[in-house]
Amino acid sequence: MLTRKIHKILILLIPVFVVLRAQGQDNMKNNTSAGPLQLVFPTEAEWNVLYEGKEINFHLQVKGGKSDSVRYSVASGLVKDMKFDSTGHFVWTPGFDIADRINTTKSFPVVFEAQNTAGESVSREIVFKVNHVNRPPQVDELQPFYVQYKTQNVYKIDMGAVRDPDGDPIVFVPILEEMPEAMKLSAAGEITWEPSSVQFGILKKGPRYMEFWVEDQPSKARTKGRLKLDVTQMDLAPDFTIIPQQSVIRSAENNRINLRFTLSDPNGEEDITTFNFISENKKVPQSALVKNTATSYEFIWEPGYDFVKDPFDTLAFNIIFYVLDKAQNKKERTVKFVIKNTIDESLRDTYVYNLYRGALVNAWGLIEQMTEKEQELKKAYTRAKKGKRSRSLLNASLGATTGLAPVIATDNQKTRGYITTIGGTTVATVGTLEATEVIGKSVNGLLDRFNYVMQKKNELQNKGDVFAREWGQKSARRQPDFIRKLDEFKALMNLSGLVALELDANWENKKEATDVAIKKTFKDFVPYTKDEN
């Protein structure tokens, strides 16, 4: 009985399985063809808002489309440290140098793409917003503070050993419970202390340590610093730090080099007597070392374009900086300088500017000459028109004289013949002169030359405006196309067709080619400024 019931149940369940399987197949079809191909990104709120130093890690996915085999790529916006592979895996840890305390957020638009084997593709732009993360200052090990008895000891915390990774201003904050009595710490890092006999006796038994805060501004992030306190029974050598702390300084000619020095002496600033340098290269002037205060110096030097002689590309030499105290204790450091030979761009800029201005001066002069020629042809055209009208009147009057001769001298045949002969000869002569255009000039010929002059003048004006505007900036004239365009512009002024203008080769312009005059003709002309010179 139980077996029969099981068979009946199985027979009833078979149609159900068939229906469910068919529905499943339909669902699969709907999933693969449920619409166009689309990119699927994380759904968390503000998932694209990042912070410096914090990693973002996600897998790009798609939905829809006619194929489930998809290849992912980035069309644009991929920056350094971003990692993205064809499977859609994206990893990025924004560096701490992206934003700062002033510009607290920076955006990075990235265009993601996906393409399946069916040829469908889709893309979408995601804007990652990176927020600034403030980091606390860093403090290295400091040189000990050696103090003397019955002396106002001054110690300046070495700024080369204290830094803020974000470049924020830093101040020093004392920890009162860690400081000996009567000791003072300024916000600039200067410690003053005159130990009492008891305090000095304690230090003679062994060194002690004091702690303080280094705080950045305006975030108020703090890092604890530690300073060793010890007594001195001998005249220790002075010391100094160089900012930037580099043993090799590489620079180009005509580039200013600036080094800053902070001097210190365990026995007090008054113990320092000399700070100077010795250079292997005698072209470095002693005046390059500038004294600001007794413990603050600067090295300011700008090698000229003639410092490195051709054919050398670079010139290397050492400078030894040293400090002396009253006991002739000496501390020195050697800095290597490597100066690179550099081309004086100002000479090249001046040369190409003169080519630019010279071409416009020639064009301006030619336009002035054609303007005079235009006025001359205009006057000649006016005179020619008046001359033609006068010839017509003279012809008509002489003809009338010939026709009236029989009427005036009806009786005297001899007089009548003279009048006819004179009148007829005059008409014939005037007609011949008019035919050969000796009286006046051809009106049509003058009009053609006048129109030709106007055409060439307008053409030169238009090309000059374009040339003045396109090459008015120094950066544009540095491009290699400038010389080619200059030759084309000059060729326009050397056209063989200009002979037809009947311009005088010995013509001299009465006006001076000043910048104002050139700019009046070519509005976009840019004269050299003082900064460019």
Side-chain angles (χ1 to χ4, degrees):
M1 287 295 293
L2 181 59
T3 304
R4 290 180 180 178
K5 290 182 179 179
I6 292 174
H7 282 295
K8 291 180 180 180
I9 292 172
L10 291 175
I11 292 171
L12 292 174
L13 289 176
I14 287 174
V16 175
F17 290 145
V18 172
V19 172
L20 292 175
R21 183 178 179 183
Q23 291 178 350
Q25 292 178 349
D26 292 338
N27 290 335
M28 291 178 64
K29 293 179 180 179
N30 291 334
N31 287 335
T32 57
S33 60
L37 187 65
Q38 298 181 24
L39 290 173
V40 179
F41 290 90
T43 58
E44 294 85 1
E46 296 185 348
W47 67 273
N48 59 325
V49 178
L50 315 179
Y51 293 88
E52 292 178 330
K54 187 176 181 181
E55 181 185 84
I56 178 175
N57 191 330
F58 68 90
H59 276 277
L60 187 60
Q61 297 179 350
V62 297
K63 66 178 181 179
K66 299 178 181 179
S67 173
D68 56 356
S69 180
V70 181
R71 181 179 179 85
Y72 301 90
S73 62
V74 172
S76 63
L78 198 68
V79 299
K80 182 182 178 182
D81 298 329
M82 284 187 182
K83 297 179 181 179
F84 184 74
D85 57 24
S86 59
T87 64
H89 187 205
F90 180 85
V91 179
W92 183 33
T93 303
F96 286 97
D97 56 347
I98 291 179
D100 52 39
R101 60 188 175 88
I102 299 175
N103 301 314
T104 57
T105 303
K106 190 171 182 180
S107 299
F108 294 85
V110 180
V111 179
F112 294 91
E113 285 187 348
Q115 185 174 7
N116 58 22
T117 54
E120 297 176 302
S121 63
V122 64
S123 63
R124 181 178 171 186
E125 182 186 76
I126 298 298
V127 179
F128 294 101
K129 297 181 179 180
V130 181
N131 293 324
H132 173 60
V133 175
N134 183 67
R135 292 173 290 175
Q138 298 175 356
V139 183
D140 298 337
E141 184 178 355
L142 300 175
Q143 294 183 358
F145 182 12
Y146 295 100
V147 297
Q148 292 181 335
Y149 182 54
K150 293 184 179 180
T151 301
Q152 181 75 9
N153 299 278
V154 179
Y155 179 88
K156 182 70 175 179
I157 296 178
D158 184 9
M159 297 305 294
V162 181
R163 72 192 64 85
D164 187 272
D166 301 314
D168 298 334
I170 58 175
V171 296
F172 297 88
V173 180
I175 303 177
L176 299 180
E177 57 270 21
E178 295 288 337
M179 294 177 58
E181 186 178 0
M183 179 181 284
K184 296 180 181 179
L185 172 62
S186 69
E190 185 178 271
I191 302 174
T192 56
W193 185 36
E194 184 176 349
S196 64
S197 58
V198 176
Q199 291 173 331
F200 194 80
I202 295 174
L203 284 181
K204 290 181 70 174
K205 296 178 181 179
R208 294 290 187 269
Y209 292 87
M210 64 155 287
E211 294 181 337
F212 55 90
W213 292 112
V214 182
E215 183 181 90
D216 67 354
Q217 304 296 322
S219 300
K220 307 293 184 182
R222 289 181 171 184
T223 299
K224 186 174 289 187
R226 192 166 181 254
L227 178 63
K228 181 181 179 180
L229 307 176
D230 204 354
V231 298
T232 177
Q233 297 177 349
M234 58 180 296
D235 190 3
L236 300 177
D239 199 3
F240 63 93
T241 57
I242 305 176
I243 301 175
Q245 294 181 346
Q246 298 176 358
S247 59
V248 180
I249 304 295
R250 301 182 184 274
S251 180
E253 289 180 326
N254 202 45
N255 188 32
R256 178 170 294 179
I257 299 173
N258 184 211
L259 304 179
R260 298 181 297 278
F261 303 89
T262 302
L263 282 58
S264 62
D265 193 302
N267 305 301
E269 296 178 1
E270 65 279 358
D271 196 42
I272 300 174
T273 58
T274 305
F275 180 72
N276 212 328
F277 69 89
I278 300 174
S279 174
E280 294 179 350
N281 192 301
K282 302 305 178 183
K283 291 184 179 180
V284 182
Q286 291 293 326
S287 59
L289 190 64
V290 180
K291 180 179 180 180
N292 296 325
T293 64
T295 58
S296 176
Y297 285 78
E298 280 188 284
F299 179 79
I300 304 174
W301 177 50
E302 185 174 315
Y305 283 111
D306 57 346
F307 186 79
V308 182
K309 302 294 185 181
D310 293 331
F312 298 104
D313 293 331
T314 58
L315 180 61
F317 59 93
N318 294 326
I319 294 182
I320 300 175
F321 296 93
Y322 64 91
V323 59
L324 293 172
D325 63 5
K326 294 178 180 178
Q328 296 302 304
N329 294 315
K330 185 178 182 181
K331 183 71 174 182
E332 62 182 33
R333 284 184 174 84
T334 301
V335 179
K336 183 178 182 180
F337 289 78
V338 180
I339 308 300
K340 182 180 179 182
N341 197 348
T342 308
I343 298 174
D344 189 354
E345 291 290 343
S346 62
L347 297 178
R348 172 68 179 172
D349 291 336
T350 303
Y351 172 73
V352 294
Y353 170 77
N354 290 332
L355 295 178
Y356 165 75
R357 188 181 187 277
L360 291 177
V361 168
N362 293 338
W364 169 76
L366 189 56
I367 289 177
E368 291 291 324
Q369 187 177 7
M370 285 193 289
T371 301
E372 290 187 6
K373 189 66 177 179
E374 181 182 341
Q375 297 297 328
E376 178 184 338
L377 291 174
K378 187 175 181 181
K379 293 179 180 178
Y381 176 74
T382 303
R383 289 197 303 269
K385 289 182 64 177
K386 292 181 179 179
K388 184 175 181 181
R389 184 168 63 251
S390 300
R391 292 195 302 272
S392 300
L393 292 173
L394 178 63
N395 192 5
S397 62
L398 291 175
T401 304
T402 304
L404 291 174
V407 179
I408 297 173
T410 53
D411 300 330
N412 192 341
Q413 293 295 327
K414 186 175 182 180
T415 303
R416 178 179 176 181
Y418 283 140
I419 295 175
T420 304
T421 301
I422 294 173
T425 303
T426 304
V427 171
T429 302
V430 171
T432 302
L433 292 175
E434 183 179 5
T436 57
E437 298 183 356
V438 173
I439 298 179
K441 293 186 178 180
S442 174
V443 177
N444 294 332
L446 289 173
L447 184 59
D448 291 340
R449 284 193 294 274
F450 178 77
N451 291 333
Y452 185 71
V453 170
M454 288 186 61
Q455 176 188 350
K456 290 301 178 182
K457 176 184 173 183
N458 293 335
E459 181 182 0
L460 184 58
Q461 179 71 56
N462 294 334
K463 293 295 180 64
D465 290 337
V466 173
F467 183 81
R469 177 174 60 256
E470 185 177 1
W471 306 105
Q473 300 300 323
K474 177 173 61 178
S475 58
R477 293 192 294 269
R478 288 180 176 177
Q479 299 177 8
D481 288 344
F482 171 70
I483 299 299
R484 181 174 59 84
K485 293 291 186 179
L486 177 67
D487 292 338
E488 293 178 0
F489 186 55
K490 287 183 176 179
L492 178 67
M493 293 181 283
N494 294 328
L495 292 176
S496 60
L498 292 178
V499 177
L501 298 175
E502 298 181 359
L503 299 179
D504 185 6
N506 298 321
W507 180 85
E508 293 184 1
N509 196 347
K510 298 177 182 179
K511 299 179 181 178
E512 183 180 357
T514 61
D515 290 342
V516 176
I518 299 173
K519 192 171 182 62
K520 186 176 181 180
T521 301
F522 303 108
K523 305 298 183 182
D524 296 319
F525 168 67
V526 181
Y528 234 8
T529 62
K530 293 182 179 179
D531 293 338
E532 289 179 318
N533 285 320

